[in-house]
Amino acid sequence: MSAIWVTIIALAVATTALKLAGPLLLGGRDLPAAAIGVIELLASALLAALVVVETFGKGRSLTLDARALGVAFAAVVLARRAPMIVAVIGAAVVTALARALG
């Protein structure tokens, strides 16, 4: 068996162990209110981090290109309470126009 398959199997076992740890350790008990508050914020923080890294990151350097204009457009229209579909399609159009013009 190659090293790649050993790595894949080890990661699968580790992932399964981590997923089992929560229910086994908690045993049906409710989480404290402070822990629930932190968990509720994790998804939006992770999404924001992914957007920033994918928009502005290029290897180990920071880059500003057409994607930044698209994200800025989406931020502005969402701040003005526009529907999500308007933000997504508008950001795609703004990014495409910036790439075509630049």
Side-chain angles (χ1 to χ4, degrees):
M1 191 177 314
S2 70
I4 293 174
W5 282 108
V6 171
T7 303
I8 291 171
I9 291 169
L11 288 172
V13 169
T15 301
T16 304
L18 284 174
K19 287 185 177 190
L20 283 173
L24 289 176
L25 293 175
L26 288 176
R29 293 176 288 180
D30 290 334
L31 289 174
I36 291 176
V38 170
I39 291 170
E40 287 176 349
L41 297 175
L42 285 176
S44 41
L46 179 60
L47 179 61
L50 289 172
V51 167
V52 168
V53 168
E54 289 299 318
T55 302
F56 301 112
K58 186 174 185 180
R60 291 186 160 275
S61 64
L62 179 67
T63 181
L64 292 174
D65 58 7
R67 294 174 295 177
L69 291 174
V71 170
F73 174 84
V76 168
V77 297
L78 288 174
R80 293 177 170 251
R81 305 274 189 222
M84 181 62 77
I85 191 73
V86 172
V88 171
I89 292 174
V93 169
V94 167
T95 302
L97 285 174
R99 286 181 177 166
L101 296 175

